[in-house]
Amino acid sequence: MRAGIPPCPPSRGASPPARAGRDPPAGPGAASANPTPRRFQRMPPSLPATINIREPRWDQSTFQGRAKHFFMVTDPRNLLLSGATLEEARRVVEDYRAGTVHPGLTEDQLWRAKYIYDSAFHPDTGEKMILVGRMSAQVPMNMTITGCMLTFYRTTPAVLFWQWVNQSFNAIVNYTNRSGDAPITPSQLGTAYVSATTGAVVTALGLKSLTKHLPAIIGRYVPFAAVAAANCINIPLMRQRELKLGIPVTDENGNRLGESTAAAQKAIFQVVVSRIGMAAPAMAIPPVIMNMLEKRAFLKRYPYLNAPLQVSLVGLCLVFATPLCCALFPQKSSMPVSSLEPEVQDQIRKKDPWLETVYFNKGL
């Protein structure tokens, strides 16, 4: 180029010169600097409709798997969920079971909806359960009632009142978590309630009179004995219809095969054992601790802390005892066909001659 001659202007079809910091560099990496618009990006794959949410997420043949399941079901935070959240979870679960997958639904969201649904809706009837009767209410309700039973056990009026409160609560829980889809009549409900409350009060007052001259620590265990006796009365009476007419038994795919009273007996026995085990740590450990603390100057100086401290200790025990004792037996329990009543066996053999095991919901 000669001096004094200006450079030629670019032709019309030529690209303008590159400016530093503005235009992307040419080469193999140039495409990555210009991302694909969001509307053309690939969406995550849809969730398959093959996940079996009729069963718990974890293996129920192991205690560990059942414990994980019940830690989710008994989580007290489920009580704080709004009605809209519960209905949304119900819609997600029922739609998924029907083969409809909501767009953008992830597997974790599906399982979360399933456990919200399980915490609030009855597994057999599908109806929304009474709030205080749900398993997620067990810890906050029992820690309050049991703590007061262990604190106010010295006078007869206190024993009567708290045993009545406890059995009223137990009646609601037993009715709410019954097995099967058959309704219980008001007369059956009233009989069970009155019988269990009477049994608990008689046991508590009888043991209280027997332990008058024994060490104070023995008297602290009277409420536990009353609760254990009441559970043995309340649960069978509240579920007496199941003992008379049976509960549904199914094959491993959930196909209903009939109703069995033998299955009902096994289910109720397992629930009684679980309930007594659930109460044992909360009613056995705090009395020992409180008996030691009452001998120290701290509780003598601040006696008003007795009840709150007792309730807190009971709550700490129940947080772990409730799910762990629910996990003692599978929720979907099983038994051999040969252990059923002869007429039920015949009924099942006609449908499936090779079936060896039936399943049933034991209740909680």
Side-chain angles (χ1 to χ4, degrees):
M1 183 183 299
R2 294 176 184 168
I5 300 177
C8 296
S11 62
R12 288 187 179 180
S15 300
R19 287 175 289 180
R22 296 277 182 102
D23 295 330
S32 61
N34 185 22
T36 307
R38 184 180 297 274
R39 65 180 180 275
F40 296 120
Q41 286 180 358
R42 191 181 215 176
M43 296 297 291
S46 179
L47 191 68
T50 55
I51 300 172
N52 185 9
I53 59 170
R54 295 186 183 277
E55 302 294 333
R57 187 171 192 176
W58 296 279
D59 181 9
Q60 296 299 284
S61 64
T62 68
F63 178 77
Q64 182 179 6
R66 294 195 296 272
K68 288 180 178 179
H69 167 70
F70 282 110
F71 267 107
M72 293 289 290
V73 171
T74 61
D75 187 346
R77 293 174 297 179
N78 290 334
L79 293 175
L80 304 177
L81 299 174
S82 67
T85 302
L86 296 179
E87 289 302 325
E88 174 63 19
R90 180 179 194 166
R91 190 169 63 86
V92 169
V93 168
E94 291 181 349
D95 286 353
Y96 188 85
R97 286 176 177 172
T100 303
V101 182
H102 290 207
L105 183 69
T106 66
E107 185 172 352
D108 285 340
Q109 289 172 339
L110 175 64
W111 283 112
R112 175 61 181 153
K114 180 251 191 320
Y115 276 103
I116 291 175
Y117 176 85
D118 285 354
S119 74
F121 296 94
H122 193 278
D124 292 329
T125 65
E127 66 184 9
K128 187 182 287 186
M129 295 186 285
I130 304 166
L131 185 70
V132 296
R134 299 174 193 172
M135 292 309 293
S136 49
Q138 283 287 297
V139 172
M141 291 297 295
N142 270 328
M143 68 181 283
T144 304
I145 296 171
T146 305
C148 290
M149 286 170 64
L150 294 175
T151 303
F152 308 110
Y153 68 95
R154 291 184 174 91
T155 66
T156 299
V159 170
L160 287 170
F161 176 75
W162 287 109
Q163 287 294 337
W164 169 73
V165 170
N166 186 51
Q167 290 313 310
S168 299
F169 171 65
N170 283 341
I172 295 171
V173 172
N174 294 335
Y175 172 75
T176 304
N177 294 280
R178 67 197 183 280
S179 176
D181 50 11
I184 185 170
T185 65
S187 62
Q188 291 171 333
L189 196 62
T191 301
Y193 172 64
V194 171
S195 301
T197 305
T198 304
V201 169
V202 168
T203 303
L205 293 178
L207 290 176
K208 182 176 177 294
S209 64
L210 291 174
T211 57
K212 271 183 183 176
H213 306 294
L214 296 176
I217 185 66
I218 303 298
R220 286 183 176 275
Y221 287 103
V222 168
F224 173 58
V227 167
N231 275 327
C232 294
I233 300 170
N234 196 328
I235 296 172
L237 282 173
M238 193 61 66
R239 297 174 60 174
Q240 59 184 295
R241 193 181 189 284
E242 300 170 31
L243 293 172
K244 292 176 182 177
L245 303 178
I247 58 175
V249 291
T250 68
D251 59 19
E252 61 182 350
N253 298 317
N255 298 313
R256 191 161 174 164
L257 303 171
E259 287 75 34
S260 167
T261 56
Q265 291 169 13
K266 183 176 180 179
I268 291 170
F269 171 77
Q270 291 178 344
V271 171
V272 169
V273 171
S274 294
R275 291 287 186 85
I276 294 174
M278 200 184 297
M283 303 191 81
I285 297 173
V288 176
I289 297 173
M290 294 303 296
N291 201 56
M292 287 170 24
L293 290 177
E294 284 184 356
K295 295 176 182 177
R296 306 289 176 91
F298 178 73
L299 274 184
K300 290 179 180 177
R301 189 181 305 168
Y302 306 106
Y304 56 86
L305 292 178
N306 193 319
L309 190 56
Q310 189 103 250
V311 169
S312 300
L313 287 171
V314 169
L316 183 63
C317 293
L318 285 173
V319 164
F320 298 97
T322 300
L324 293 178
C325 288
C326 284
L328 289 175
F329 306 100
Q331 179 67 36
K332 184 180 178 180
S333 200
S334 63
M335 65 189 303
V337 173
S338 57
S339 299
L340 301 174
E341 308 90 294
E343 62 273 15
V344 180
Q345 290 186 43
D346 293 340
Q347 184 180 346
I348 292 173
R349 296 296 181 209
K350 291 177 182 177
K351 296 179 180 178
D352 188 346
W354 309 109
L355 190 69
E356 296 183 354
T357 305
V358 293
Y359 300 87
F360 53 91
N361 171 30
K362 70 175 177 65
L364 286 172

